[in-house]
Amino acid sequence: MTIRLKLLRKQKGWTLEFLAEQTGLTKSYLSKIERGISVPSIAVALKLAKALQVSVEELVSDRRNQELVSITRAAERAPMDGGGRAVESIAANLAPKQMLPFMLRPPLDFVASAFKEHEGEELLFVHQGRIEIEFPDQLVQLEAGDSLYFNAVLPHRIRSLDGSEAQVLVVVSDRDSAA
């Protein structure tokens, strides 16, 4: 995944320090993202896009494609940092857009993933296998064909069940970018 962070930041005339203040991230971490040493998580990409007032896709895309249709073949999915989970971006070349779709292969154990929360809403559709989503006061199990839609500010984490890796289509919508 190519991050256009430095270009977008410089277009605004912002320093790394100013962007760090706007996002609550460290200057060091932002520098590592700009140099390609670190790949931001989805939650961090949402924070950066919000601060820069661009869509997540504008942040991660090599070009600003104004096409109306984006086809992503299975072999063309762009890997993203999923915090220990296998995550592949879908429709990465289409920008701007109001949704962030990706394929997720959740870990087999919650230990590998901390609770996540971010602005907007989230839709999970289980393509293959079984998963469990943990919220602070609720556990939800889903199997192939099931879906779950929720407000993503609610802390959540996900894992595969039955000892085999599930495949989940995840669509994240940032309310601020949808306006």
Side-chain angles (χ1 to χ4, degrees), residues 4-168:
R4 299 176 58 225
L5 180 59
K6 187 173 186 176
L7 173 69
L8 293 168
R9 177 180 60 79
K10 287 192 174 234
Q11 284 177 342
K12 290 196 171 284
W14 291 1
T15 64
L16 275 174
E17 187 172 11
F18 183 79
L19 183 58
E21 291 171 7
Q22 299 301 305
T23 60
L25 302 169
T26 67
K27 183 178 167 183
S28 171
Y29 180 57
L30 292 171
S31 176
K32 287 178 182 177
I33 293 171
E34 286 189 354
R35 291 180 286 141
I37 295 170
S38 291
V39 178
S41 68
I42 295 156
V44 168
L46 286 167
K47 278 185 187 182
L48 290 169
K50 183 176 180 179
L52 292 164
Q53 299 175 327
V54 298
S55 71
V56 172
E57 297 310 331
E58 287 176 88
L59 181 64
V60 300
S61 180
D62 280 335
R63 60 180 189 255
R64 190 163 184 199
N65 189 344
Q66 297 297 323
E67 307 224 2
L68 299 177
V69 176
S70 175
I71 298 170
T72 304
R73 304 290 180 198
E76 298 169 344
R77 293 182 193 151
M80 298 172 64
D81 176 16
R85 300 172 286 179
V87 179
E88 298 170 331
S89 177
I90 298 173
N93 64 338
L94 185 63
K97 62 184 173 202
Q98 297 177 1
M99 297 180 294
L100 175 62
F102 55 93
M103 288 299 292
L104 172 69
R105 290 178 181 81
L108 300 176
D109 195 343
F110 284 137
V111 175
S113 66
F115 278 102
K116 305 289 184 198
E117 57 187 86
H118 50 86
E119 293 294 319
E121 298 172 337
E122 193 164 321
L123 167 75
L124 305 176
F125 177 82
V126 181
H127 175 68
Q128 179 180 315
R130 292 183 62 234
I131 64 170
E132 185 171 62
I133 301 93
E134 183 178 12
F135 298 101
D137 61 354
Q138 182 179 13
L139 279 174
V140 177
Q141 292 187 358
L142 302 174
E143 56 187 53
D146 292 346
S147 64
L148 174 68
Y149 189 100
F150 60 96
N151 186 323
V153 297
L154 183 63
H156 56 283
R157 60 185 179 177
I158 182 173
R159 70 175 177 160
S160 296
L161 293 174
D162 302 330
S164 62
E165 194 174 66
Q167 291 184 18
V168 182

